[in-house]
Amino acid sequence: MADVRTLIAAVTSMFTESELDSLNEAERDGPLSWTGYGESLARARKRTGETESVLCGTGKIGDTAAVIVAFDFRFLGGSIGVATGDRIVRAFGQAIRSRLPVVSLIATGGSRLQEGMLSLSQLQRIAARCAELRERGLPHVAVLRDPTTGGVWASLGAGADVVIGVTGAQVGFAGSRVRPASYLGDSAYTAEGQLAAGQVDEVVTEPDLPGVLAAWLALLPVDRPAPRHAPVPRALGDLAPAADGWAAVGRARSAARPRALAYLEDYFDVRRSISGDRAGGVDPGMLCGIGRRDGRLVAYAAQAGTATTPAGFRTATRLIRLAERLNLPVLTLVDTPGAAADPESERNGLAPAIAELFAAVARATVPITTLVIGEGGSGGALALAAPDHTWITPDAYFSVIAPELAAAILKRDSAQVPATAEQLRLRPQDLVDLRVVRGIAGP
C-alpha cells in the first residue's frame, strides 16, 4: 500500500499538516493496560514515521481548499483509538470554523481493540461531527481505499455526501477476518459491489483519483447566495403541436424522441453523477447529480424513460436533500410510463418511496424547475414535478394514467383507447389550458 504522504501529495497541493498530538509515554499500554500495546505503537511509529493512524491537515485539491483526513493502514491497520478520534474530530472542527469541505481518504480495519469501548465510542464523536458538517452546509467527500471496513465505513465513509470507491478495494461493515469463510469471495464486500448496491457513487482507479476529487469539489459549493430557479431546458424533439391526445402519446413513446441523457448533455457544460439510494438499490432509469451551466451550479434528477423503482424515487429524494444542504437549485426531467408496479417494487417500499419524494419536492427549501420531456405517467411522474414551476416539451404528455389503463378501468375495449386519450386532455396545449403546466418549452 502506498505511503499516506505519497497519496496526499498526489491528491493535494499546498498541504499543511494539523498540529500533532504530544505522545503520552507514561501510558504505554493505553487506557486498558493491554500488555504489549505500547510496544505495538512504538513499532508502528517507527515503521511508518507517523504518530497515529490518521494524518489531518488542509490543502488544495484542484482549485478548492479542503480539510484532509487521511488514514495510514500500515499503522495498526488504520484503526481508530482515542487519539485518532481526537484528530478526526479536530479536523472536522477546523473545517466548520474555516467553512471548508472535508475529504476523507479512508483505509482502515475499524476500531482499535486494545482500547476497547473507548475506541468504539469514537464513532459516535465522528458521526456527530459529520452531522454538524452537513447542518452547516459543508460538503464531505469520502474515498474508500483498500480496505474500508468496520464502523469507520458505517460512520465516516457512508455518512459522506459523495462516496468514491477505489477500484478493487475491500469495502464492507464486516472485515475479512470476522465474516464467515464462505463469504470471503463475495463481491458484495468490494467497492464495485457497493456501487451495484447503491452505497457508492462511483468507482475510480487510484491514478484517476486526484482529477475526480478536483472535479467533484468544483461542483460542491460553500456559502452560495440564495439560488434562483434553474433555466428551463430547450426542447430538442419535434416542435409541432400534437394533433390529438393519442398522437401526443405516440410521439412521447417514439424511440426517436430525445431522452434525458440528450437533454443533460445539451443543458450542462460539465456534470457528475451520484448513484444509489443508500438503502441497497440503484435505478439506472433515474439520473441524478450536479452540473454547471453558464457558470451556475444546478442539481438534477432525471427520469430516463423507464418505470421508476423505489430506489429511483429514493435517489431523487437524496439528490434534493443534498441540493438543500448546498443551497443549489434543482432541475427535474420527467419521463416515465409510471412507477414500477412489479411485486419486487412493492416489497421494496414503492409507495413510501414515492411519498418521501412527494414530501421532499413539496417542502424543498431550494427552487425546483421541472420539464416533462416524454411520458408523464401518473403519480410516478408527478412525484418529481414542481407544483408551480413545471413546463413540458411539444413531444410529451402528462396524464392521470396511461390511456390503455384508463380504458381498462372504464371497461372499454382497445378500439376506444384513442378516444380515451383525447378525453384525458393530456396534450401539452391542453395542460397549459388546464394550468397544470406553466408553458411549452421552445427551441
Side-chain angles (χ1 to χ4, degrees):
M1 176 172 289
D3 176 271
V4 69
R5 292 182 183 269
T6 301
L7 175 65
I8 291 173
V11 168
T12 69
S13 61
M14 302 171 59
F15 180 74
T16 303
E17 188 175 347
S18 298
E19 183 179 347
L20 297 177
D21 309 288
S22 59
L23 301 181
N24 186 354
E25 294 293 344
E27 197 175 32
R28 285 177 44 83
D29 287 331
L32 302 187
S33 299
W34 186 294
T35 303
Y37 179 39
E39 285 79 2
S40 296
L41 285 172
R43 287 193 299 270
R45 288 165 182 155
K46 182 178 180 180
R47 180 171 61 254
T48 64
E50 307 298 341
T51 57
E52 251 303 337
S53 61
V54 292
L55 186 63
C56 302
T58 57
K60 291 196 76 175
I61 299 178
D63 296 324
T64 307
V67 168
I68 315 297
V69 176
F71 284 70
D72 191 336
F73 189 75
R74 301 171 306 153
F75 194 107
L76 299 182
S79 58
I80 285 189
V82 174
T84 327
D86 287 342
R87 287 192 182 187
I88 296 172
V89 166
R90 285 204 304 271
F92 272 76
Q94 181 179 2
I96 291 167
R97 290 190 302 274
S98 302
R99 302 293 300 170
L100 294 175
V102 172
V103 174
S104 300
L105 304 171
I106 305 172
T108 176
S111 299
R112 192 168 299 170
L113 300 182
Q114 297 93 330
E115 296 189 24
M117 280 301 298
L118 291 175
S119 167
L120 188 64
S121 64
Q122 301 310 306
L123 303 180
Q124 294 175 316
R125 301 176 65 202
I126 292 168
R129 278 300 201 187
C130 288
E132 185 177 0
L133 194 80
R134 287 195 298 271
E135 291 166 1
R136 300 296 182 92
L138 298 171
H140 177 199
V141 179
V143 177
L144 313 181
R145 297 154 55 218
D146 187 31
T148 298
T149 60
V152 182
W153 158 226
S155 55
L156 185 64
D161 296 308
V162 176
V163 181
I164 300 169
V166 174
T167 302
Q170 178 191 170
V171 179
F173 185 69
S176 59
R177 296 188 181 183
V178 299
R179 59 180 185 258
S182 60
Y183 295 171
L184 292 183
D186 197 308
S187 63
Y189 301 94
T190 64
E192 291 81 359
Q194 298 289 354
L195 174 66
Q199 319 297 352
V200 169
D201 291 301
E202 59 180 304
V203 175
V204 304
T205 64
E206 194 161 293
D208 288 338
L209 187 57
V212 169
L213 284 173
W216 262 117
L217 289 180
L219 295 173
L220 297 172
V222 173
D223 293 334
R224 287 183 58 79
R228 295 174 286 117
H229 274 98
V232 179
R234 67 190 183 107
L236 301 180
D238 191 343
L239 300 179
D244 53 47
W246 190 234
V249 173
R251 289 206 309 184
R253 292 175 178 175
S254 169
R257 175 182 55 79
R259 264 41 182 195
L261 190 58
Y263 275 90
L264 295 176
E265 293 291 338
D266 183 72
Y267 189 82
F268 289 110
D269 303 316
V270 63
R271 62 185 176 88
R272 293 200 78 85
S273 301
I274 65 169
S275 177
D277 64 357
R278 297 298 184 265
V282 175
D283 183 350
M286 181 69 79
L287 310 178
C288 296
I290 299 173
R292 183 183 293 109
R293 171 190 168 89
D294 298 331
R296 293 184 60 189
L297 295 177
V298 178
Y300 64 86
Q303 291 168 319
T306 56
T308 304
T309 68
F313 292 116
R314 285 192 286 260
T315 304
T317 299
R318 176 189 162 213
L319 182 281
I320 291 171
R321 289 173 176 165
L322 175 60
E324 288 182 311
R325 291 199 297 273
L326 300 179
N327 212 25
L328 292 176
V330 176
L331 170 69
T332 65
L333 301 179
V334 170
D335 183 10
T336 179
D342 55 280
E344 182 179 3
S345 292
E346 293 291 353
R347 284 190 288 267
N348 288 337
L350 180 62
I354 295 173
E356 191 175 15
L357 180 55
F358 266 125
V361 170
R363 302 295 294 173
T365 58
V366 293
I368 299 177
T369 299
T370 298
L371 180 64
V372 183
I373 63 170
E375 291 195 81
S378 194
L382 187 65
L384 204 60
D388 301 313
H389 215 73
T390 292
W391 276 257
I392 191 168
T393 61
D395 55 353
Y397 78 88
F398 212 164
S399 178
V400 63
I401 195 169
E404 298 92 336
L405 299 180
I409 291 172
L410 297 172
K411 299 181 179 180
R412 296 176 177 178
D413 61 36
S414 59
Q416 294 179 286
V417 169
T420 303
E422 187 65 18
Q423 285 182 291
L424 288 170
R425 298 195 66 190
L426 47 72
R427 297 180 305 163
Q429 52 268 48
D430 295 328
L431 298 165
V432 172
D433 292 342
L434 294 169
R435 297 185 180 181
V436 173
V437 300
R438 295 187 64 169
I440 301 172

